[in-house]
Structure formats: C-alpha cells, structure tokens
Amino acid sequence: MKVQEPGVHLEVPGRALIAQASERIKWHRQMADTMRRELKGTLPRGDSEAGGADWKEQARRTDLEVRISDHLEYARFLSFVKESIVRTRRYRLALSDLT
C-alpha cells in the first residue's frame, strides 16, 4: 500500500531546473550590476560636502556593498547547483524547494 505524503510534490526534469537556475543567475548578476552602477554614482568615502547627509550616503553605500555581495554569492551558489543537475534526470521537489 502506497502512503500518501501531505503537501505539494512535483516531478521536474533536470533541463527545466537548469533553465530556471540560468534565469535566476542572470537576474542576480543584473541586480549586482545595477547596484554597482548606483554605487559608482555615490560620493566617494569621506568627500561629502553635504555635512549632515554624509551618514546617509555612507549608509546607502554600505547597504549597496552588502546587497551586491549577497547577489553575487547567491549567483555562485546557483551556478554550483546548476552544474550539479543531470539534464536527463527527473527531480522530485516539494513546495518548500520552490521558495
């Protein structure tokens, strides 16, 4: 007798997972590039003439640096996952795997 598992379970071909990972890698790299461009447009460290606005500029710079790093790290992780997937294999995913 087959036991029914609760929740959503999907069988997904490896090629579909590879395609999805490729799109997410591309998105994360694009986001990092967009943030790099914004970072280049911010004032250099310590060169603010705005006085009180300097802390806001530094906070934004720090936020961008962290977010760029996070996007690139996730793109590297997804690249590893993508390279580990077998194109012809089917993978069983739960709903929690898709979030």
Side-chain angles (χ1 to χ4, degrees):
M1 180 162 138
K2 191 173 184 179
V3 177
Q4 198 74 8
E5 292 182 37
V8 176
H9 296 277
L10 303 170
E11 285 199 18
V12 181
R15 67 183 177 284
L17 292 174
I18 290 169
Q20 180 66 28
S22 294
E23 286 299 314
R24 294 298 293 172
I25 291 165
K26 180 180 172 183
W27 182 82
H28 280 289
R29 289 180 177 159
Q30 287 173 339
M31 291 303 297
D33 288 342
T34 299
M35 290 177 188
R36 274 194 201 107
R37 285 192 296 276
E38 183 180 342
L39 189 59
K40 286 181 183 179
T42 61
L43 295 172
R45 296 176 196 257
D47 291 349
S48 175
E49 296 176 13
D54 188 44
W55 69 269
K56 290 180 184 177
E57 187 73 27
Q58 186 59 41
R60 181 61 182 155
R61 174 178 282 283
T62 300
D63 180 54
L64 286 170
E65 289 169 347
V66 168
R67 292 177 72 190
I68 289 167
S69 177
D70 289 348
H71 278 292
L72 293 176
E73 183 63 30
Y74 205 70
R76 281 189 293 273
F77 169 73
L78 288 174
S79 293
F80 168 76
V81 170
K82 178 183 161 186
E83 292 169 10
S84 300
I85 294 172
V86 177
R87 180 178 271 306
T88 57
R89 185 174 291 166
R90 296 185 73 76
Y91 294 86
R92 187 172 171 99
L93 303 176
L95 189 58
S96 61
D97 296 320
L98 304 175
T99 58

